Amino acid sequence: MNKLENTAAEERTAFPPPATPKTKKKTSKVERREHIIAFLFILPPIIGFLVFTAISMGFTFVFSFQNYFVRRGESEFVGFQHYISLFSGMFTPGELGNAFIKSVGNTLFLLLSLPVSIALGLLLAGLLRLGDVKGSKVFQVLYYLPAVSSAVALNIVWRYIFQSNGFLNNMLHASTPWLSDDTLIKVAIVIKNSLNAMGGAMILYLAGMLNVPKDLYEASSLDGAGKVRQFFSITLPMITPVTFYLLITGLIGGLQSYADSQVFAKGDSGAATIVFFIWQQRTNGAAGYGIASSASILLSVCIMIITLIQFKVSNKWVYEE
């Protein structure tokens, strides 16, 4: 009997019984209705993305290889000529190439406000959260006001502050040409953007600090750690996701800066950014559309590469639960 049982077991192992086919669960009318309603809710942003982003980027990419004649509605294929013209300022003198390279340098210089605003926001959040500051809610509202105010209105106010006879020079009893010097106007924009953005960073850091488990602070207090040690050893590492978010959004927004050049600097070449350069080229003859489209494609590719790099290296320093 044992031999027969072993033989039967071996046969069952070698030839397992066929698996019963799984019956596909039918979707009920209620579920189908819910799916249709959910799709209708997400349809508007999908249409907006296709019309205003995807299709527009497709046309921009095509125009970057062409000269477009608006009045005649005709175009002429020129290949990579527009891309070559943009970088010509790096090798040979040329008005167009020099203007683009200068706009790139100005944009990168203005990005200095990003680490400054993050540091100021973190400092304010730490003082308001860890320190016993009376009326902290009032300070939070005051510091956050620029983040919810109109960019145009803020730039107009700051322009009055930095004028030769404005508030800053009168307070310092100086006559510094903030708005007429190519370097000082960029410094003024960095100061302005840093103070405007620190309130938003402060609110986000405060929200991140409130999510830090209190058990960690209690355990460290038993070990004799003070508030400063707790801030650098517990709080700062735990709020790195907020820092990562501020870096991502700040870089994307900084590379697309426009109001600083148009409103605050009033088109001064010392503060012309990449987006302002694109805006200027839109009416520059038949090649204007192609030049503007080429610069737009380069800016988009640059933003995507920088964003991907940031996400790639974020695993090494951003805290994950």
Side-chain angles (χ1 to χ4, degrees):
M1 289 295 293
N2 290 335
K3 291 183 178 180
L4 292 175
E5 290 177 356
N6 292 336
T7 305
E10 291 176 359
E11 289 179 355
R12 285 195 299 267
T13 305
F15 302 100
T20 56
K22 294 183 179 180
T23 57
K24 187 176 180 181
K25 184 181 178 181
K26 292 184 179 181
T27 306
S28 65
K29 291 183 178 181
V30 176
E31 289 178 335
R32 286 198 298 268
R33 188 177 179 181
E34 290 179 350
H35 293 166
I36 293 173
I37 294 174
F39 177 75
L40 291 176
F41 271 107
I42 66 173
L43 187 60
I46 291 176
I47 294 175
F49 172 78
L50 292 175
V51 174
F52 297 106
T53 304
I55 296 177
S56 299
M57 287 186 65
F59 277 109
T60 301
F61 182 76
V62 173
F63 278 132
S64 67
F65 299 100
Q66 296 178 346
N67 285 336
Y68 182 66
F69 302 90
V70 181
R71 294 182 179 179
R72 291 183 293 174
E74 299 176 356
S75 60
E76 176 188 7
F77 182 77
V78 294
F80 290 91
Q81 183 60 45
H82 296 317
Y83 292 95
I84 296 173
S85 299
L86 289 176
F87 291 100
S88 62
M90 298 177 62
F91 310 103
T92 58
E95 183 177 353
L96 179 65
N98 289 339
F100 177 70
I101 298 301
K102 188 174 183 179
S103 69
V104 173
N106 292 339
T107 304
L108 295 177
F109 187 94
L110 298 183
L111 287 177
L112 292 175
S113 63
L114 178 59
V116 177
S117 64
I118 290 177
L120 291 175
L122 179 61
L123 177 63
L124 287 174
L127 291 176
L128 294 174
R129 180 75 180 95
L130 302 180
D132 188 13
V133 180
K134 293 184 179 180
S136 60
K137 298 296 182 183
V138 177
F139 284 107
Q140 292 177 31
V141 173
L142 292 177
Y143 287 129
Y144 189 65
L145 274 178
V148 295
S149 301
S150 169
V152 174
L154 287 174
N155 277 287
I156 292 174
V157 171
W158 278 105
R159 183 172 176 83
Y160 279 115
I161 292 175
F162 281 103
Q163 281 181 342
S164 57
N165 58 345
F167 172 78
L168 185 60
N169 279 339
N170 290 333
M171 185 181 66
L172 298 176
H173 301 287
S175 57
T176 308
W178 292 101
L179 302 179
S180 57
D181 185 82
D182 283 359
T183 302
L184 288 178
I185 195 171
K186 287 193 284 286
V187 174
I189 293 175
V190 170
I191 295 173
K192 169 184 72 68
N193 290 346
S194 300
L195 295 178
N196 286 344
M198 70 178 184
M202 175 199 67
I203 292 296
L204 291 175
Y205 274 127
L206 280 173
M209 291 176 183
L210 291 174
N211 287 327
V212 178
K214 295 182 180 180
D215 298 343
L216 298 177
Y217 294 119
E218 294 174 357
S220 62
S221 297
L222 295 175
D223 292 337
K227 287 189 175 182
V228 176
R229 179 64 182 275
Q230 289 176 348
F231 178 78
F232 285 100
S233 300
I234 299 175
T235 307
L236 199 57
M238 295 288 287
I239 60 175
T240 47
V242 178
T243 305
F244 177 65
Y245 171 80
L246 291 172
L247 284 174
I248 289 286
T249 56
L251 277 173
I252 293 175
L255 290 173
Q256 299 180 85
S257 173
Y258 171 76
D260 295 333
S261 303
Q262 178 66 27
V263 182
F264 182 82
K266 289 190 177 297
D268 189 282
S269 61
T273 59
I274 300 175
V275 176
F276 184 77
F277 170 84
I278 294 171
W279 177 82
Q280 282 183 316
Q281 294 301 316
R282 79 202 190 285
T283 55
N284 189 15
Y289 282 90
I291 293 292
S293 299
S294 302
S296 300
I297 293 297
L298 290 175
L299 178 61
S300 301
V301 172
C302 180
I303 290 175
M304 286 189 288
I305 292 175
I306 291 175
T307 305
L308 289 174
I309 292 175
Q310 285 183 306
F311 273 101
K312 190 69 176 178
V313 302
S314 65
N315 297 330
K316 299 180 179 179
W317 65 278
V318 177
Y319 171 77
E320 294 182 2
E321 294 183 1

